[in-house]
Amino acid sequence: MGLGKDVAYEYAQIYDDSNVIMNVTFMKQKLFTKSAFKVALTCPRQLYYYGDESYANQNNDDSFLMALAEGGFQVGELAKIYYDVDDANDIKEKDYQSSINVTNERLKLSDVNIAEAAFRYKDCFVRVDILKKTGTDIELVEVKAKSWTEEDSFLNKKGEVASGIREYLYDVAFQKWVVVNALKDLYPNKKFKVKAFLMMADKGKVADVDGMNQCFRIVKDKNNRSKIERTADAEYLRNAAHVLTPFDVDEICDMIIKGETGEQDKVMGNTFVPFINAMSQHYCNRTKAETEIGSKCFSCPFYTTDETPSELKDGYKECWKEMAGFKDEDFKKPLVKDLWGAYIKRNKFIVEEKYFLEDLSEDDFKQSEESEGLHHVERKLLQIALATNNDNMMRPFKPNLKDGTYIDVEGLRKEMSGWVYPLHMIDFETTSVALPFYKGLHPYEQVAFQFSHHIIEKNGTIKHIGQYLNTKKGFFPNFEFIRELKRQLENDNGSVFRYSNHENTILRCIYEQLYKSEECDKKALMDFIDTITHKDEHVGERD
């Protein structure tokens, strides 16, 4: 059986006449870590597969890339700069006991800031992103690339932890519970006061320097593995405006730990601490937790593909076989998870044991109003009919079906009657990152650095008519971007087609940036944006 990731080790040396002849590593036991806790929140059953490397895990391959895309590594490194964590207090020991030992040594100092401080309580183990110790006062800081502001609320009107922040707050609460209890065990005669913070990219803050993001770069170590490294001048960010804010979440963490937030039974089937105790037992003892299949199963990462090594097992299929009686051939059928626009209904279908598209009928959907063109319910019924080759269900759509493709000919003709040639096709490339590239930007503020522009003539001729690409390092491109787009589009009254609604969002964001700017031509540029976008309520919208 393969070993999971969360395994503690003990070390020993074998002697012969006082000479060391062998170093031996003994596996002691698995520990319930932050990662395992997160898996348990997603699905307790997945803990069994997560803890065994003989099961395929699709998340293994892209964990670094996912964190990189979210800005997590850069944000973590910047937090160390903000808290002045030196290399001696950045705990890099990989095995659990060594990292705990080093942490305990650092905690002997009266005042110290530690990165990756390690704590164990019972079978639970955590590494704290930043731990600030001042005497017996301890600040526990979990660092996330998520955006937040002081105006955002951690609780909804029902007294529940808001779903968009729940995963992060549960994470911090789990760490606080472990740290508080570990300190009680380690120092029974001391009373430490532990206060929890969640440090996030603060969208209310503005960068006052250029190049913040570029201070943290991807490099390869000696084993050709990617990692984040600070540039030599990154330390100057300590004195720049802080775009990360440690939000005080101590009170809500205490509520979570005490089981006082309203969502816990719905989310965990229990309150917080009993859930931790139960899940840690399942995980460390390698037992499967009882759970029900549901729409969550469709995002399970423990499945195999054609590229998966043949020796790895498929946990996803194992669950469906055990709990729904699936056979191998059932996995080849179109499932309800494949149905367009029916995410909310998936659990209902599964409870009713309707696992396949062939199990669904018109009675499973209700068309509440008339619509022009294909109603969203009709769209689902058409998909079911085509996927299952159901002739009766397909009959209403046959007049507009050709070779398995549905075309609303009359609706398309009506839409096309309003087009003005030449047709302009625009497609943008943009970025928004936690640590701004440019002075004056908020975290996650949009930067548009490239567009392509094609036209379609009335005779069907397609031409690549123009483009824009910012190649100037350290240059904020958005206003030059919109000037060039205006120059290319203002020569005729042709209809403008966007690749998706993303282009509309970006143009409205640039509108807001122009509104706040001192650009001499901002009114003309804003008027141009109004002509090619749908207006939404936003800051700077004029009467």
Side-chain angles (χ1 to χ4, degrees), residues 34-35 37-39 41-42 66-67 69-73 75 126-129 140-149 152-155 161-177 196-201 245 247-250 252-254 256-257 261 263 267-268 272 276 434 444:
K34 291 195 294 183
S35 297
F37 173 68
K38 181 179 177 181
V39 171
L41 287 172
T42 302
M66 287 173 63
E70 294 169 357
F73 290 118
V75 166
V126 298
R127 297 182 193 267
V128 178
D129 288 340
L140 183 161
V141 184
E142 171 68 7
V143 183
K144 295 294 185 185
K146 184 176 177 61
S147 62
W148 203 254
T149 68
D152 294 325
S153 177
F154 294 116
L155 292 175
V161 179
S163 59
I165 195 71
R166 185 180 300 154
E167 172 190 328
Y168 307 104
L169 289 174
Y170 277 21
D171 187 345
V172 186
F174 176 61
Q175 291 180 57
K176 179 173 181 179
W177 181 77
F197 294 86
L198 186 52
M199 177 172 258
M200 296 179 282
T245 295
F247 293 93
D248 185 343
V249 295
D250 195 61
I252 192 167
C253 282
D254 286 343
I256 292 170
I257 292 168
T261 55
E263 79 295 335
V267 173
M268 297 177 286
F272 195 71
I276 293 171
Y444 292 109

Side-chain angles (χ1 to χ4, degrees), residues 341-359:
Y343 182 81
I344 296 175
K345 281 184 171 287
R346 288 175 182 173
N347 267 330
K348 176 179 179 293
F349 293 151
I350 291 171
V351 169
E352 295 171 351
E353 298 185 1
K354 296 177 179 178
Y355 307 130
F356 309 104
L357 291 188
E358 66 186 23
D359 297 329

Side-chain angles (χ1 to χ4, degrees), residues 53-93:
E53 289 183 353
S54 67
Y55 285 91
N57 184 354
Q58 301 302 322
N59 285 344
N60 283 344
D61 297 332
D62 58 4
S63 57
F64 177 84
L65 293 177
M66 287 173 63
L68 185 65
E70 294 169 357
F73 290 118
Q74 293 94 332
V75 166
E77 285 299 314
L78 181 57
K80 293 177 188 178
I81 292 175
Y82 285 173
Y83 279 91
D84 198 19
V85 176
D86 57 30
D87 195 60
N89 291 315
D90 189 354
I91 299 177
K92 296 181 172 64
E93 280 71 15

Side-chain angles (χ1 to χ4, degrees), residues 3 95 97 118 124 137 194 206 254 312 328 346 399 449 491 505:
L3 301 179
D95 71 276
Q97 193 55 51
C124 299
D137 291 333
V194 179
V206 177
D254 286 343
L312 293 181
D328 285 335
R346 288 175 182 173
F449 60 86
N491 297 315
T505 300

Side-chain angles (χ1 to χ4, degrees), residues 426 428 448 451 468 477-490 503 506-508 510-511 513-514 519 521-522 524-530 532-533:
I426 57 174
F428 296 174
F451 72 72
Y468 171 84
N478 284 20
F479 300 151
E480 184 179 87
F481 175 100
I482 198 64
R483 288 187 185 102
E484 179 59 20
L485 185 66
K486 178 176 182 290
R487 187 189 69 79
Q488 292 189 26
L489 293 180
E490 66 183 356
E503 281 73 22
I506 296 302
L507 289 168
R508 298 315 307 183
I510 296 176
Y511 182 105
Q513 292 169 340
L514 284 164
E519 299 295 306
D521 58 345
K522 73 176 189 178
L525 296 175
M526 291 166 69
D527 288 342
F528 164 70
I529 291 172
D530 276 341
I532 62 170
T533 59

Side-chain angles (χ1 to χ4, degrees), residues 175-344:
Q175 291 180 57
K176 179 173 181 179
W177 181 77
V178 172
V179 170
V180 167
N181 286 290
L183 289 172
K184 287 179 181 177
D185 286 349
L186 287 167
Y187 306 98
N189 297 321
K190 281 190 176 181
K191 287 190 176 181
F192 286 96
K193 182 180 179 182
V194 179
K195 191 169 184 179
F197 294 86
L198 186 52
M199 177 172 258
M200 296 179 282
D202 190 339
K203 293 189 77 170
K205 300 292 179 66
V206 177
D208 63 353
V209 294
D210 287 320
M212 182 179 294
N213 193 283
Q214 292 93 319
C215 289
F216 309 97
R217 298 178 178 173
I218 308 171
V219 297
K220 298 286 187 179
D221 64 15
K222 61 183 180 181
N223 297 314
N224 202 38
R225 291 175 300 196
S226 297
K227 66 176 184 178
I228 296 294
E229 185 174 85
R230 301 181 197 174
T231 59
D233 60 349
E235 294 296 321
Y236 84 94
L237 296 176
R238 182 177 291 109
N239 299 316
H242 287 201
V243 296
L244 306 180
T245 295
F247 293 93
D248 185 343
V249 295
D250 195 61
E251 184 177 345
I252 192 167
C253 282
D254 286 343
M255 291 174 62
I256 292 170
I257 292 168
K258 293 174 183 176
E260 294 176 350
T261 55
E263 79 295 335
Q264 294 193 20
D265 186 63
K266 178 175 61 178
V267 173
M268 297 177 286
N270 209 331
T271 50
F272 195 71
V273 175
F275 176 80
I276 293 171
N277 290 331
M279 293 302 106
S280 63
Q281 288 298 304
H282 280 299
Y283 184 67
C284 297
N285 295 331
R286 294 289 297 125
T287 56
K288 288 183 179 179
E290 291 296 324
T291 187
E292 295 179 351
I293 54 175
S295 59
K296 66 180 185 296
C297 299
F298 297 139
S299 58
C300 175
F302 300 100
Y303 63 89
T304 57
T305 67
D306 292 340
E307 290 75 36
T308 302
S310 58
E311 66 271 16
L312 293 181
K313 296 183 287 187
D314 192 313
Y316 171 80
K317 288 184 178 179
E318 192 172 296
C319 268
W320 283 93
K321 287 179 177 179
E322 290 179 7
M323 293 191 285
F326 271 34
K327 297 179 176 60
D328 285 335
E329 56 267 25
D330 289 329
F331 294 100
K332 299 176 183 178
K333 296 179 181 179
L335 298 168
V336 293
K337 77 179 180 67
D338 303 314
L339 185 61
W340 171 84
Y343 182 81
I344 296 175

